[in-house]
């Protein structure tokens, strides 16, 4: 697993340190080098041993390590599945883990404090999923994709790392709640429009960089301290166009959240920027009306509605926005907006 991660980082030219190099005259000090390194892979060499061949040999030995998760748990009893409560804190170099602030499909997001006292969020993949190569590759891809983006309404990442038992990404901490919470509290129409503009601008920017989000929904839009929306969770995002995505998403596999999936996603067909716009359309309808356009009793029924049912019209007092929503939710991707920038121009008209 570790060797695969090293190869992946090298292929993507990520600036992620793969290991800690500890040089020490007294080998007994290796047992007391600080909690922040206790769970990290280490190469232990004395100054006299620090030659090119020794270093290469040590790195190869580290990459060949086959120590299992269960062996690590026996050695470090504080390491447990992150979806359970920890009796002893996780140790990640340079960060103090404070509390869990969210759960995802394969792990947990923690609030943490960096060594410079900066508050950050750490997304941690749990040990149950770390051995799945698709989870591993998607997690590394998420960091690579986000590293390309510099936009005030897209989550900013600081670092990616790998301990003996966990993968993690360090990112900015957003404390203003989710869009889902704001919708639940009756989001005013003007605020819905302002937030939609910001989200649309961010979506246009990531599309220009060749990135498809594939999971646009209210729980993946968080707000910062200034009340500005930020797109998060690029866990199933991908590069637009042909790539090695066949390994990560098997042909015919539906990827996304059922309530926001485009018809082509449901059917396992090619996903394009138009699919993100469809999900945006579902979310925009929800932001304006307070409810989803399609109601269903199960995920399967919901997906069938995306494929077969015509989207309902907005209530009479929101009728001005209905043409935009209907175009976004067209079953035919070619009949939707040609780009997020074209949608942005239409949304701007409502604020003039």
């Amino acid at each position: 697993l570790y060797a695969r991660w090293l190869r992946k980082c090298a292929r993507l030219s990520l600036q992620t340190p793969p290991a800690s190099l500890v040089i020490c005259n007294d080998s007994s000090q290796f047992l007391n080098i600080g909690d922040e390194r206790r769970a990290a892979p280490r190469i232990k060499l004395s100054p006299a041993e620090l030659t090119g061949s020794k270093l290469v040999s040590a790195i190869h030995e580290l990459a060949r390590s086959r120590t299992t998760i269960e062996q690590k748990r026996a050695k470090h009893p504080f390491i447990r599945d992150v979806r359970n409560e920890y009796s002893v804190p996780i140790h990640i170099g340079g960060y103090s883990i404070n509390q869990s602030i969210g759960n995802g499909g394969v792990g947990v997001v923690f609030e943490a404090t960096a060594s410079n006292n900066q508050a950050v969020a750490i997304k941690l993949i749990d040990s149950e999923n770390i051995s799945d190569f698709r989870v591993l590759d998607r997690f590394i891809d998420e960091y690579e994709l986000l590293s390309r983006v510099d936009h005030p309404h897209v989550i900013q990442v600081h670092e990616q790392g790998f301990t003996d038992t966990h993968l993690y990404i360090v990112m900015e901490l957003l404390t203003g709640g989710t869009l889902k919470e704001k919708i639940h509290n009756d989001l005013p129409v003007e605020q819905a429009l302002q937030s939609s503009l910001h989200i649309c601008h961010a979506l246009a920017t990531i599309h220009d960089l060749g990135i498809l989000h594939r999971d646009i929904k209210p729980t993946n839009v968080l707000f910062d301290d200034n009340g500005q929306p930020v797109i998060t969770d690029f866990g199933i995002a991908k590069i637009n166009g042909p790539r090695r995505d066949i390994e990560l998403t098997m042909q015919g596999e539906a990827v996304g959240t059922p309530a926001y999936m485009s018809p082509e996603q449901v059917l396992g067909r090619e996903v394009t920027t138009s699919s993100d716009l469809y999900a945006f359309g579902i979310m925009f309808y929800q932001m304006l009306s307070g409810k989803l356009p399609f109601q269903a009793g199960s995920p399967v029924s919901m997906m069938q509605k995306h494929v077969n049912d015509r989207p309902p019209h907005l209530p009479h007092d929101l009728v001005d926005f209905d043409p935009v929503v209907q175009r976004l939710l067209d079953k035919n991707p070619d009949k939707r907006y040609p780009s997020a920038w074209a949608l942005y121009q239409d949304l701007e008209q409502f604020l003039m």
Side-chain angles (χ1 to χ4, degrees):
L1 176 66
Y2 191 76
R4 188 187 302 124
W5 182 75
L6 287 174
R7 289 194 297 270
K8 174 85 171 178
C9 287
R11 182 174 65 79
L12 297 175
S13 301
L14 297 183
Q15 301 300 311
T16 303
S20 298
L21 175 61
V22 181
I23 303 172
C24 185
N25 284 312
D26 183 359
S27 61
S28 66
Q29 293 185 38
F30 288 133
L31 302 178
N32 189 31
I33 59 175
D35 285 347
E36 73 277 2
R37 292 183 183 176
R38 215 168 26 167
R42 296 191 298 276
I43 302 171
K44 304 173 184 177
L45 296 173
S46 69
E49 294 174 317
L50 188 58
T51 64
S53 60
K54 283 279 189 179
L55 184 57
V56 170
S57 176
I59 291 173
H60 282 207
E61 180 62 31
L62 180 64
R64 286 196 299 268
S65 173
R66 297 293 184 182
T67 307
T68 65
I69 297 300
E70 290 305 319
Q71 287 173 321
K72 290 300 178 183
R73 282 176 176 165
K75 188 175 180 180
H76 302 294
F78 64 85
I79 296 173
R80 297 166 55 189
D81 190 313
V82 296
R83 281 180 286 194
N84 297 326
E85 183 180 354
Y86 282 89
S87 55
V88 181
I90 305 166
H91 293 270
I92 293 177
Y95 301 95
S96 298
I97 305 295
N98 299 327
Q99 61 180 335
S100 170
I101 56 175
N103 294 282
V106 294
V108 171
V109 179
F110 288 93
E111 179 188 338
T113 305
S115 55
N116 62 359
N117 291 324
Q118 179 185 6
V120 297
I122 296 182
K123 183 176 183 179
L124 201 69
I125 294 297
D126 63 37
S127 53
E128 180 182 324
N129 291 283
I130 200 172
S131 59
D132 185 332
F133 84 92
R134 290 200 292 172
V135 172
L136 175 66
D137 280 358
R138 276 179 175 159
F139 195 71
I140 296 173
D141 280 347
E142 179 176 9
Y143 177 76
E144 185 216 355
L145 293 175
L146 283 170
S147 297
R148 299 182 181 193
V149 185
D150 182 14
H151 192 282
H153 300 288
V154 175
I155 187 84
Q156 298 297 299
V157 295
H158 305 310
E159 177 187 354
Q160 183 189 61
F162 189 114
T163 72
D164 278 0
T165 53
H166 296 103
L167 291 161
Y168 64 89
I169 294 178
V170 182
M171 59 190 74
E172 66 174 311
L173 179 65
L174 300 165
T175 59
T178 68
L179 178 56
K180 181 179 179 180
E181 293 166 346
K182 293 188 181 297
I183 293 172
H184 181 73
N185 293 325
D186 296 326
L187 186 66
V189 171
E190 185 174 351
Q191 187 178 347
L193 277 173
Q194 289 284 2
S195 294
S196 295
L197 266 178
H198 293 316
I199 297 166
C200 185
H201 196 282
L203 202 55
T205 300
I206 67 172
H207 286 172
D208 282 352
L209 292 170
I211 299 171
L212 305 178
H213 189 281
R214 301 203 295 181
D215 201 19
I216 294 294
K217 59 184 179 181
T219 52
N220 283 344
V221 176
L222 304 184
F223 288 80
D224 63 19
D225 292 340
N226 298 317
Q228 297 300 306
V230 178
I231 298 178
T232 69
D233 200 342
F234 284 65
I236 62 171
K238 61 164 283 193
I239 297 296
N240 191 17
R243 204 182 176 215
R244 50 163 208 85
D245 194 55
I246 268 190
E247 295 179 9
L248 302 184
T249 305
M250 301 305 179
Q251 187 173 7
E253 179 183 359
V255 176
T257 301
Y260 302 88
M261 289 172 68
S262 65
E264 59 271 20
Q265 278 178 287
V266 171
L267 297 171
R269 295 174 180 169
E270 182 183 5
V271 173
T272 67
T273 56
S274 184
S275 306
D276 278 349
L277 293 181
Y278 182 94
F280 180 93
I282 297 286
M283 190 170 70
F284 186 49
Y285 184 104
Q286 191 177 7
M287 291 168 73
L288 292 170
S289 69
K291 62 181 181 180
L292 289 166
F294 300 115
Q295 306 294 323
S298 70
V300 172
S301 297
M302 177 64 79
M303 290 190 287
Q304 288 174 342
K305 286 180 177 290
H306 286 302
V307 174
N308 301 316
D309 291 10
R310 293 178 60 86
H313 293 284
L314 284 165
H316 181 71
D317 58 331
L318 299 169
V319 69
D320 289 346
F321 307 108
D322 198 57
V324 173
V325 170
Q326 295 299 318
R327 186 174 182 183
L328 285 167
L329 299 186
D330 199 292
K331 306 300 181 189
N332 185 347
D334 294 333
K335 293 184 179 180
R336 297 173 202 152
Y337 281 90
S339 69
W341 289 120
L343 170 62
Y344 183 84
Q345 291 176 350
D346 271 7
L347 291 178
E348 269 191 317
Q349 302 301 316
F350 293 114
L351 293 175
M352 291 182 175

